[in-house]
mmCIF file of all heavy atoms in Angstrom:
data_model
loop_
_atom_site.group_PDB
_atom_site.id
_atom_site.type_symbol
_atom_site.label_atom_id
_atom_site.label_comp_id
_atom_site.label_asym_id
_atom_site.label_seq_id
_atom_site.Cartn_x
_atom_site.Cartn_y
_atom_site.Cartn_z
ATOM 1 N N LEU A 257 75.145 148.706 47.800
ATOM 2 C CA LEU A 257 74.309 148.233 46.699
ATOM 3 C C LEU A 257 75.071 147.235 45.851
ATOM 4 O O LEU A 257 76.227 147.474 45.479
ATOM 5 C CB LEU A 257 73.868 149.418 45.827
ATOM 6 C CG LEU A 257 73.215 150.588 46.571
ATOM 7 C CD1 LEU A 257 72.903 151.721 45.600
ATOM 8 C CD2 LEU A 257 71.948 150.138 47.301
ATOM 9 N N CYS A 258 74.414 146.123 45.533
ATOM 10 C CA CYS A 258 75.086 145.114 44.707
ATOM 11 C C CYS A 258 74.108 144.524 43.702
ATOM 12 O O CYS A 258 72.908 144.430 43.949
ATOM 13 C CB CYS A 258 75.724 144.026 45.572
ATOM 14 S SG CYS A 258 74.684 143.393 46.902
ATOM 15 N N ALA A 259 74.667 144.135 42.561
ATOM 16 C CA ALA A 259 73.897 143.527 41.480
ATOM 17 C C ALA A 259 74.886 143.073 40.417
ATOM 18 O O ALA A 259 76.092 143.327 40.521
ATOM 19 C CB ALA A 259 72.897 144.518 40.893
ATOM 20 N N ARG A 260 74.386 142.401 39.390
ATOM 21 C CA ARG A 260 75.278 141.939 38.323
ATOM 22 C C ARG A 260 75.706 143.071 37.396
ATOM 23 O O ARG A 260 76.827 143.093 36.912
ATOM 24 C CB ARG A 260 74.581 140.849 37.491
ATOM 25 C CG ARG A 260 74.411 139.526 38.228
ATOM 26 C CD ARG A 260 73.656 138.525 37.365
ATOM 27 N NE ARG A 260 72.318 139.021 37.018
ATOM 28 C CZ ARG A 260 71.531 138.482 36.102
ATOM 29 N NH1 ARG A 260 71.954 137.434 35.406
ATOM 30 N NH2 ARG A 260 70.323 138.980 35.870
ATOM 31 N N ARG A 261 74.815 144.022 37.147
ATOM 32 C CA ARG A 261 75.079 145.045 36.131
ATOM 33 C C ARG A 261 75.769 146.258 36.757
ATOM 34 O O ARG A 261 75.129 147.147 37.300
ATOM 35 C CB ARG A 261 73.767 145.438 35.446
ATOM 36 C CG ARG A 261 73.192 144.305 34.619
ATOM 37 C CD ARG A 261 71.836 144.642 34.043
ATOM 38 N NE ARG A 261 70.818 144.775 35.075
ATOM 39 C CZ ARG A 261 69.532 144.975 34.820
ATOM 40 N NH1 ARG A 261 69.117 145.069 33.571
ATOM 41 N NH2 ARG A 261 68.659 145.078 35.811
ATOM 42 N N THR A 262 77.077 146.271 36.652
ATOM 43 C CA THR A 262 77.859 147.316 37.320
ATOM 44 C C THR A 262 77.665 148.679 36.673
ATOM 45 O O THR A 262 77.788 149.701 37.353
ATOM 46 C CB THR A 262 79.355 146.951 37.327
ATOM 47 O OG1 THR A 262 79.769 146.651 35.982
ATOM 48 C CG2 THR A 262 79.612 145.737 38.190
ATOM 49 N N ASP A 263 77.367 148.719 35.369
ATOM 50 C CA ASP A 263 77.167 150.019 34.721
ATOM 51 C C ASP A 263 75.964 150.733 35.341
ATOM 52 O O ASP A 263 76.006 151.937 35.617
ATOM 53 C CB ASP A 263 76.993 149.860 33.209
ATOM 54 C CG ASP A 263 75.871 148.896 32.837
ATOM 55 O OD1 ASP A 263 75.553 148.000 33.644
ATOM 56 O OD2 ASP A 263 75.312 149.034 31.728
ATOM 57 N N LYS A 264 74.894 149.992 35.581
ATOM 58 C CA LYS A 264 73.704 150.590 36.194
ATOM 59 C C LYS A 264 73.965 150.949 37.656
ATOM 60 O O LYS A 264 73.469 151.966 38.156
ATOM 61 C CB LYS A 264 72.516 149.638 36.075
ATOM 62 C CG LYS A 264 72.043 149.445 34.646
ATOM 63 C CD LYS A 264 70.615 148.946 34.599
ATOM 64 C CE LYS A 264 70.071 149.016 33.178
ATOM 65 N NZ LYS A 264 68.614 148.836 33.116
ATOM 66 N N LEU A 265 74.728 150.104 38.356
ATOM 67 C CA LEU A 265 75.076 150.416 39.750
ATOM 68 C C LEU A 265 75.892 151.698 39.830
ATOM 69 O O LEU A 265 75.640 152.556 40.686
ATOM 70 C CB LEU A 265 75.878 149.270 40.364
ATOM 71 C CG LEU A 265 75.127 148.061 40.915
ATOM 72 C CD1 LEU A 265 76.126 147.051 41.462
ATOM 73 C CD2 LEU A 265 74.125 148.459 41.994
ATOM 74 N N ASP A 266 76.873 151.839 38.943
ATOM 75 C CA ASP A 266 77.720 153.032 38.945
ATOM 76 C C ASP A 266 76.901 154.284 38.656
ATOM 77 O O ASP A 266 77.111 155.339 39.267
ATOM 78 C CB ASP A 266 78.845 152.889 37.918
ATOM 79 C CG ASP A 266 79.875 151.841 38.317
ATOM 80 O OD1 ASP A 266 79.975 151.541 39.524
ATOM 81 O OD2 ASP A 266 80.575 151.321 37.423
ATOM 82 N N ALA A 267 75.948 154.171 37.714
ATOM 83 C CA ALA A 267 75.089 155.317 37.392
ATOM 84 C C ALA A 267 74.207 155.684 38.580
ATOM 85 O O ALA A 267 74.012 156.872 38.887
ATOM 86 C CB ALA A 267 74.238 154.998 36.166
ATOM 87 N N LEU A 268 73.687 154.670 39.274
ATOM 88 C CA LEU A 268 72.848 154.916 40.442
ATOM 89 C C LEU A 268 73.656 155.560 41.567
ATOM 90 O O LEU A 268 73.192 156.497 42.224
ATOM 91 C CB LEU A 268 72.214 153.604 40.920
ATOM 92 C CG LEU A 268 71.289 153.681 42.132
ATOM 93 C CD1 LEU A 268 70.110 154.626 41.880
ATOM 94 C CD2 LEU A 268 70.784 152.290 42.512
ATOM 95 N N LYS A 269 74.871 155.069 41.780
ATOM 96 C CA LYS A 269 75.759 155.644 42.805
ATOM 97 C C LYS A 269 75.999 157.134 42.531
ATOM 98 O O LYS A 269 75.878 157.970 43.433
ATOM 99 C CB LYS A 269 77.086 154.881 42.822
ATOM 100 C CG LYS A 269 78.172 155.496 43.716
ATOM 101 C CD LYS A 269 79.460 154.680 43.607
ATOM 102 C CE LYS A 269 80.656 155.397 44.225
ATOM 103 N NZ LYS A 269 80.587 155.457 45.695
ATOM 104 N N ALA A 270 76.317 157.465 41.270
ATOM 105 C CA ALA A 270 76.577 158.862 40.908
ATOM 106 C C ALA A 270 75.331 159.721 41.129
ATOM 107 O O ALA A 270 75.418 160.843 41.648
ATOM 108 C CB ALA A 270 77.029 158.942 39.447
ATOM 109 N N GLU A 271 74.184 159.188 40.749
ATOM 110 C CA GLU A 271 72.915 159.911 40.929
ATOM 111 C C GLU A 271 72.642 160.192 42.408
ATOM 112 O O GLU A 271 72.297 161.317 42.791
ATOM 113 C CB GLU A 271 71.773 159.078 40.341
ATOM 114 C CG GLU A 271 70.388 159.625 40.613
ATOM 115 C CD GLU A 271 69.286 158.593 40.412
ATOM 116 O OE1 GLU A 271 69.432 157.711 39.539
ATOM 117 O OE2 GLU A 271 68.268 158.658 41.132
ATOM 118 N N LEU A 272 72.815 159.172 43.246
ATOM 119 C CA LEU A 272 72.497 159.312 44.665
ATOM 120 C C LEU A 272 73.482 160.232 45.378
ATOM 121 O O LEU A 272 73.092 161.033 46.235
ATOM 122 C CB LEU A 272 72.468 157.939 45.335
ATOM 123 C CG LEU A 272 71.392 156.970 44.834
ATOM 124 C CD1 LEU A 272 71.488 155.639 45.561
ATOM 125 C CD2 LEU A 272 70.002 157.572 44.980
ATOM 126 N N GLU A 273 74.761 160.132 45.029
ATOM 127 C CA GLU A 273 75.763 160.985 45.685
ATOM 128 C C GLU A 273 75.585 162.453 45.292
ATOM 129 O O GLU A 273 75.836 163.348 46.102
ATOM 130 C CB GLU A 273 77.163 160.494 45.329
ATOM 131 C CG GLU A 273 77.524 159.193 46.022
ATOM 132 C CD GLU A 273 78.897 158.679 45.643
ATOM 133 O OE1 GLU A 273 79.395 159.025 44.537
ATOM 134 O OE2 GLU A 273 79.476 157.921 46.441
ATOM 135 N N GLN A 274 75.151 162.695 44.060
ATOM 136 C CA GLN A 274 74.910 164.076 43.636
ATOM 137 C C GLN A 274 73.688 164.657 44.345
ATOM 138 O O GLN A 274 73.693 165.805 44.791
ATOM 139 C CB GLN A 274 74.711 164.140 42.123
ATOM 140 C CG GLN A 274 74.517 165.566 41.601
ATOM 141 C CD GLN A 274 74.456 165.625 40.086
ATOM 142 O OE1 GLN A 274 74.397 164.609 39.411
ATOM 143 N NE2 GLN A 274 74.462 166.834 39.540
ATOM 144 N N ALA A 275 72.647 163.834 44.468
ATOM 145 C CA ALA A 275 71.410 164.307 45.101
ATOM 146 C C ALA A 275 71.528 164.406 46.619
ATOM 147 O O ALA A 275 70.879 165.253 47.243
ATOM 148 C CB ALA A 275 70.256 163.383 44.727
ATOM 149 N N HIS A 276 72.362 163.542 47.212
ATOM 150 C CA HIS A 276 72.471 163.471 48.672
ATOM 151 C C HIS A 276 73.950 163.385 49.067
ATOM 152 O O HIS A 276 74.443 162.319 49.460
ATOM 153 C CB HIS A 276 71.706 162.255 49.193
ATOM 154 C CG HIS A 276 70.317 162.141 48.647
ATOM 155 N ND1 HIS A 276 69.270 162.934 49.068
ATOM 156 C CD2 HIS A 276 69.806 161.326 47.682
ATOM 157 C CE1 HIS A 276 68.175 162.622 48.400
ATOM 158 N NE2 HIS A 276 68.471 161.654 47.559
ATOM 159 N N PRO A 277 74.681 164.490 48.978
ATOM 160 C CA PRO A 277 76.134 164.460 49.185
ATOM 161 C C PRO A 277 76.573 164.054 50.586
ATOM 162 O O PRO A 277 77.735 163.710 50.792
ATOM 163 C CB PRO A 277 76.570 165.896 48.867
ATOM 164 C CG PRO A 277 75.330 166.727 48.984
ATOM 165 C CD PRO A 277 74.199 165.838 48.613
ATOM 166 N N GLY A 278 75.661 164.014 51.535
ATOM 167 C CA GLY A 278 76.042 163.671 52.903
ATOM 168 C C GLY A 278 76.092 162.184 53.199
ATOM 169 O O GLY A 278 76.513 161.781 54.288
ATOM 170 N N ILE A 279 75.683 161.363 52.241
ATOM 171 C CA ILE A 279 75.641 159.923 52.508
ATOM 172 C C ILE A 279 76.791 159.187 51.819
ATOM 173 O O ILE A 279 77.417 159.700 50.901
ATOM 174 C CB ILE A 279 74.292 159.297 52.066
ATOM 175 C CG1 ILE A 279 74.153 159.341 50.545
ATOM 176 C CG2 ILE A 279 73.129 159.997 52.746
ATOM 177 C CD1 ILE A 279 72.969 158.530 50.019
ATOM 178 N N THR A 280 77.042 157.961 52.277
ATOM 179 C CA THR A 280 78.021 157.077 51.636
ATOM 180 C C THR A 280 77.269 156.050 50.801
ATOM 181 O O THR A 280 76.319 155.424 51.282
ATOM 182 C CB THR A 280 78.867 156.345 52.696
ATOM 183 O OG1 THR A 280 79.581 157.314 53.469
ATOM 184 C CG2 THR A 280 79.860 155.388 52.044
ATOM 185 N N VAL A 281 77.693 155.884 49.552
ATOM 186 C CA VAL A 281 77.103 154.868 48.677
ATOM 187 C C VAL A 281 78.225 153.976 48.156
ATOM 188 O O VAL A 281 79.115 154.433 47.434
ATOM 189 C CB VAL A 281 76.340 155.493 47.492
ATOM 190 C CG1 VAL A 281 75.710 154.390 46.632
ATOM 191 C CG2 VAL A 281 75.277 156.465 47.976
ATOM 192 N N LEU A 282 78.197 152.711 48.551
ATOM 193 C CA LEU A 282 79.167 151.734 48.075
ATOM 194 C C LEU A 282 78.484 150.791 47.102
ATOM 195 O O LEU A 282 77.329 150.409 47.304
ATOM 196 C CB LEU A 282 79.739 150.921 49.240
ATOM 197 C CG LEU A 282 80.401 151.702 50.379
ATOM 198 C CD1 LEU A 282 80.865 150.727 51.468
ATOM 199 C CD2 LEU A 282 81.573 152.528 49.875
ATOM 200 N N VAL A 283 79.183 150.420 46.037
ATOM 201 C CA VAL A 283 78.617 149.465 45.069
ATOM 202 C C VAL A 283 79.633 148.365 44.789
ATOM 203 O O VAL A 283 80.841 148.600 44.774
ATOM 204 C CB VAL A 283 78.195 150.150 43.754
ATOM 205 C CG1 VAL A 283 77.091 151.161 43.984
ATOM 206 C CG2 VAL A 283 79.378 150.803 43.062
ATOM 207 N N LYS A 284 79.105 147.159 44.583
ATOM 208 C CA LYS A 284 79.955 146.012 44.230
ATOM 209 C C LYS A 284 79.183 145.088 43.286
ATOM 210 O O LYS A 284 77.972 144.911 43.446
ATOM 211 C CB LYS A 284 80.363 145.223 45.473
ATOM 212 C CG LYS A 284 81.274 145.977 46.430
ATOM 213 C CD LYS A 284 81.752 145.090 47.562
ATOM 214 C CE LYS A 284 82.488 145.917 48.600
ATOM 215 N NZ LYS A 284 83.710 146.559 48.046
ATOM 216 N N PRO A 285 79.892 144.499 42.327
ATOM 217 C CA PRO A 285 79.224 143.510 41.475
ATOM 218 C C PRO A 285 78.928 142.239 42.260
ATOM 219 O O PRO A 285 79.736 141.801 43.075
ATOM 220 C CB PRO A 285 80.238 143.249 40.359
ATOM 221 C CG PRO A 285 81.572 143.584 40.962
ATOM 222 C CD PRO A 285 81.310 144.676 41.953
ATOM 223 N N LEU A 286 77.736 141.670 42.023
ATOM 224 C CA LEU A 286 77.382 140.421 42.692
ATOM 225 C C LEU A 286 76.368 139.651 41.864
ATOM 226 O O LEU A 286 75.293 140.170 41.551
ATOM 227 C CB LEU A 286 76.792 140.699 44.084
ATOM 228 C CG LEU A 286 76.268 139.462 44.834
ATOM 229 C CD1 LEU A 286 77.385 138.467 45.111
ATOM 230 C CD2 LEU A 286 75.551 139.854 46.123
ATOM 231 N N ASP A 287 76.719 138.419 41.534
ATOM 232 C CA ASP A 287 75.752 137.452 41.008
ATOM 233 C C ASP A 287 75.410 136.548 42.179
ATOM 234 O O ASP A 287 76.254 135.780 42.647
ATOM 235 C CB ASP A 287 76.376 136.647 39.857
ATOM 236 C CG ASP A 287 75.408 135.653 39.242
ATOM 237 O OD1 ASP A 287 74.410 135.290 39.904
ATOM 238 O OD2 ASP A 287 75.650 135.203 38.106
ATOM 239 N N VAL A 288 74.181 136.645 42.666
ATOM 240 C CA VAL A 288 73.821 135.933 43.892
ATOM 241 C C VAL A 288 73.883 134.413 43.733
ATOM 242 O O VAL A 288 73.889 133.686 44.730
ATOM 243 C CB VAL A 288 72.421 136.345 44.403
ATOM 244 C CG1 VAL A 288 72.435 137.797 44.879
ATOM 245 C CG2 VAL A 288 71.343 136.111 43.357
ATOM 246 N N ASN A 289 73.944 133.933 42.489
ATOM 247 C CA ASN A 289 74.089 132.495 42.279
ATOM 248 C C ASN A 289 75.529 132.022 42.457
ATOM 249 O O ASN A 289 75.783 130.816 42.422
ATOM 250 C CB ASN A 289 73.561 132.102 40.894
ATOM 251 C CG ASN A 289 72.040 132.137 40.846
ATOM 252 O OD1 ASN A 289 71.374 131.497 41.662
ATOM 253 N ND2 ASN A 289 71.490 132.899 39.921
ATOM 254 N N HIS A 290 76.454 132.942 42.628
ATOM 255 C CA HIS A 290 77.827 132.594 43.005
ATOM 256 C C HIS A 290 77.886 132.729 44.534
ATOM 257 O O HIS A 290 78.179 133.792 45.073
ATOM 258 C CB HIS A 290 78.827 133.528 42.323
ATOM 259 C CG HIS A 290 78.848 133.377 40.829
ATOM 260 N ND1 HIS A 290 79.406 134.301 39.989
ATOM 261 C CD2 HIS A 290 78.365 132.394 40.025
ATOM 262 C CE1 HIS A 290 79.277 133.921 38.728
ATOM 263 N NE2 HIS A 290 78.640 132.758 38.741
ATOM 264 N N TYR A 291 77.583 131.635 45.207
ATOM 265 C CA TYR A 291 77.296 131.703 46.640
ATOM 266 C C TYR A 291 78.477 132.194 47.474
ATOM 267 O O TYR A 291 78.291 132.976 48.409
ATOM 268 C CB TYR A 291 76.807 130.339 47.133
ATOM 269 C CG TYR A 291 75.678 129.782 46.290
ATOM 270 C CD1 TYR A 291 75.712 128.462 45.814
ATOM 271 C CD2 TYR A 291 74.578 130.566 45.943
ATOM 272 C CE1 TYR A 291 74.693 127.962 45.035
ATOM 273 C CE2 TYR A 291 73.555 130.076 45.157
ATOM 274 C CZ TYR A 291 73.617 128.770 44.707
ATOM 275 O OH TYR A 291 72.607 128.275 43.924
ATOM 276 N N ASP A 292 79.695 131.765 47.144
ATOM 277 C CA ASP A 292 80.854 132.244 47.896
ATOM 278 C C ASP A 292 81.004 133.755 47.764
ATOM 279 O O ASP A 292 81.416 134.433 48.714
ATOM 280 C CB ASP A 292 82.136 131.559 47.398
ATOM 281 C CG ASP A 292 82.193 130.093 47.782
ATOM 282 O OD1 ASP A 292 81.406 129.677 48.673
ATOM 283 O OD2 ASP A 292 83.005 129.346 47.209
#
């Protein structure tokens, strides 16, 4: 999962890992207008 707002990504990661402990959830900051 990627997006500009890392605080919301981190909260979503914690929520998903708690609800579904068998999966892997990776998060990274990304502004899609920074093409590289």
Side-chain angles (χ1 to χ4, degrees):
L257 308 177
C258 45
R260 289 177 300 168
R261 293 175 293 185
T262 53
D263 55 334
K264 292 201 169 193
L265 278 180
D266 291 337
L268 181 59
K269 172 182 168 71
E271 173 198 328
L272 296 179
E273 288 178 335
Q274 183 174 9
H276 311 285
I279 67 170
T280 299
V281 182
L282 304 178
V283 297
K284 294 186 188 298
L286 175 62
D287 182 340
V288 292
N289 286 305
H290 295 164
Y291 309 131
D292 290 344

